[in-house]
Amino acid sequence: MTLNAYRKRRNFDATSEPKGRDRAAAEDSEPRIYAMQKHMSTRLHYDLRLQWRGVLLSWAVPRGPSLNPAVKRLALQTEDHPLEHASFEGVIPNGEYGAGTVLLWDRGTWQPENLNADGSLPEHEIKFTLHGTKLKGSWTLVHIRGMKGSGHRSTWLLVKHRDSYASMKNVTLGEARSVATRRFLSEIARDDGGDVARASLGDPPQAARRIAMAKPARPRSKRGQRA
Ligand code: MN
């Protein structure tokens, strides 16, 4: 596990994302971090992050998670992220990798359910339990194509298992606010000097209308501020 790909893609003088500390795999301690970030970048997606051997394994889920076990959501594995990224929320400036607005949509801990005999994660089907604020219970990531670690994005499906947390509720629409700050995407963009109109495309329509009519707040972060 290495953060080289993560660091190569980013200019830490420009982005407020964390550079992160290198950790030995053995430093992993239970409970392991789980986070899901809603990211309005080139396209809206949800970034699933699971702590594993000193890094956050990462998948971009274009349509976000579904609580309905009959629904399979595409999940494209992306570069490992530093553990520090699990609490990141804010604006990534234009011209930077992942430029756009990031909302910390869910956070908590996770547990793998089906480790290999040597303690590694299964290559083809990872069964796991989430203990988040919004997502709970049993889930599966099924590997459908692409090689792990080949540099190409490998393709997975994220599926909810049938358990007491399975539901027909639309969790991405119904619980669109940040779990950390209760803000919508357009409010984070407004506060951190991002593109409010673009961020609002990722908010539920009613929230976007309300925020467009509200008075602008003073930016909280100097970092994303525009002159
Ligand atoms: Mn992303």
Side-chain angles (χ1 to χ4, degrees), residues 27-46:
E27 271 188 74
D28 242 12
S29 60
E30 304 245 9
R32 294 186 168 91
I33 297 167
Y34 145 68
M36 184 86 83
Q37 287 153 323
K38 184 177 180 180
H39 186 182
M40 187 67 208
S41 184
T42 313
R43 288 180 187 176
L44 180 68
H45 60 274
Y46 291 73

Side-chain angles (χ1 to χ4, degrees), residues 41-203:
S41 184
T42 313
R43 288 180 187 176
L44 180 68
H45 60 274
Y46 291 73
D47 288 300
L48 169 63
R49 318 253 184 233
L50 300 176
Q51 178 182 357
W52 186 253
R53 298 191 168 168
V55 297
L56 296 173
L57 301 180
S58 298
W59 289 265
V61 185
R63 298 190 62 195
S66 172
L67 301 182
N68 179 352
V71 173
K72 299 173 172 66
R73 289 282 160 88
L74 199 65
L76 303 164
Q77 190 163 19
T78 58
E79 76 275 18
D80 297 341
H81 278 50
L83 300 192
E84 289 84 354
H85 207 285
S87 55
F88 177 77
E89 178 170 278
V91 168
I92 301 173
N94 282 337
E96 296 305 311
Y97 182 74
T101 304
V102 178
L103 174 155
L104 185 52
W105 187 78
D106 196 20
R107 64 180 169 194
T109 63
W110 77 285
Q111 287 168 303
E113 291 174 10
N114 63 337
L115 293 180
N116 294 324
D118 66 356
S120 60
L121 279 180
E123 296 274 315
H124 298 294
E125 190 170 7
I126 304 171
K127 297 182 180 180
F128 58 103
T129 305
L130 293 180
H131 308 279
T133 300
K134 297 176 186 176
L135 302 187
K136 298 175 194 294
S138 192
W139 295 75
T140 309
L141 274 164
V142 184
H143 186 213
I144 53 171
R145 61 176 176 268
M147 284 223 313
K148 244 173 147 181
S150 65
H152 298 287
R153 285 184 155 199
S154 67
T155 306
W156 300 67
L157 296 172
L158 176 67
V159 192
K160 181 77 195 78
H161 263 181
R162 285 182 200 283
D163 62 17
S164 60
Y165 298 106
S167 153
M168 298 301 280
K169 186 176 84 172
N170 184 335
V171 70
T172 49
L173 187 65
E175 300 188 42
R177 289 177 185 273
S178 162
V179 73
T181 63
R182 306 300 300 157
R183 292 180 293 175
F184 288 110
L185 274 169
S186 46
E187 292 173 307
I188 295 167
R190 179 197 65 195
D191 293 351
D192 292 2
D195 184 336
V196 178
R198 172 126 193 91
S200 71
L201 298 175
D203 283 331

